[in-house]
């Protein structure tokens, strides 16, 4: 392979990788929209079911929607304080991934029963 062929091959590879990244980004957005629709229906059917909330937060974290997950958990805990200990692990993970060290420390204290 000569230099010119190598350059053409590299450009084609970069375009292919860029196209693949766009495709993955589009799929992630579609999955996020689908998650929102499914979870909205689940929350309407059984609003008091904590399992639906846990599933939603797990998927949000997987999709990289870390801030959204943290905001939702905080909101639910505000209205359903009895769920705080059950949902706190999601706040621990989200605050760690976001680098919110003060929040992480307070959530960890709650996990240990110190707070």
């Amino acid at each position: 392979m000569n230099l010119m062929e190598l350059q053409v091959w590299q450009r084609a590879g970069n375009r292919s990788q860029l196209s693949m990244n766009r495709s993955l980004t589009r799929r992630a957005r579609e999955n996020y929209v689908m998650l929102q629709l499914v979870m909205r229906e689940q929350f309407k059917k059984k609003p008091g079911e904590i399992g639906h909330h846990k599933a939603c937060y797990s998927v949000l974290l997987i999709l990289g929607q870390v801030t959204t997950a943290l905001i939702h958990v905080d909101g639910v805990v505000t209205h359903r304080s009895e769920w705080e200990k059950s949902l706190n692990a999601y706040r621990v993970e989200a605050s760690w991934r976001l680098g919110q060290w003060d929040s992480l420390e307070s959530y960890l204290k709650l996990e240990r029963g110190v707070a």
Side-chain angles (χ1 to χ4, degrees):
M1 183 178 291
N2 65 32
L3 181 59
M4 185 180 284
E5 289 173 329
L6 180 61
Q7 289 172 339
V8 169
W9 182 77
Q10 285 176 332
R11 280 190 220 117
N14 287 340
R15 272 189 246 120
S16 175
Q17 187 176 12
L18 181 61
S19 176
M20 190 171 77
N21 287 343
R22 286 181 185 153
S23 176
L24 290 174
T25 300
R26 183 175 28 81
R27 273 198 229 146
R29 284 187 189 132
E30 290 169 358
N31 288 341
Y32 180 61
V33 169
M34 182 60 75
L35 168 71
Q36 289 176 318
L37 295 173
V38 169
M39 295 316 297
R40 189 173 293 139
E41 285 301 311
Q42 292 299 320
F43 292 152
K44 283 180 187 175
K45 288 180 184 176
K46 295 183 180 178
E49 180 62 45
I50 193 170
H52 296 316
H53 292 270
K54 288 180 174 184
C56 178
Y57 305 141
S58 293
V59 173
L60 285 170
L61 291 171
I62 289 168
L63 291 175
Q65 299 292 326
V66 182
T67 302
T68 303
L70 184 57
I71 289 169
H72 279 261
V73 173
D74 285 343
V76 168
V77 167
T78 299
H79 297 289
R80 304 290 296 258
S81 59
E82 68 274 15
W83 289 1
E84 185 171 31
K85 287 185 179 181
S86 297
L87 299 178
N88 194 54
Y90 299 100
R91 296 194 299 186
V92 168
E93 180 177 347
S95 59
W96 176 76
R97 289 175 61 181
L98 292 168
Q100 296 179 355
W101 310 122
D102 291 339
S103 296
L104 176 61
E105 187 175 331
S106 68
Y107 298 144
L108 287 172
K109 284 181 182 176
L110 181 63
E111 283 290 306
R112 293 183 202 119
V114 177

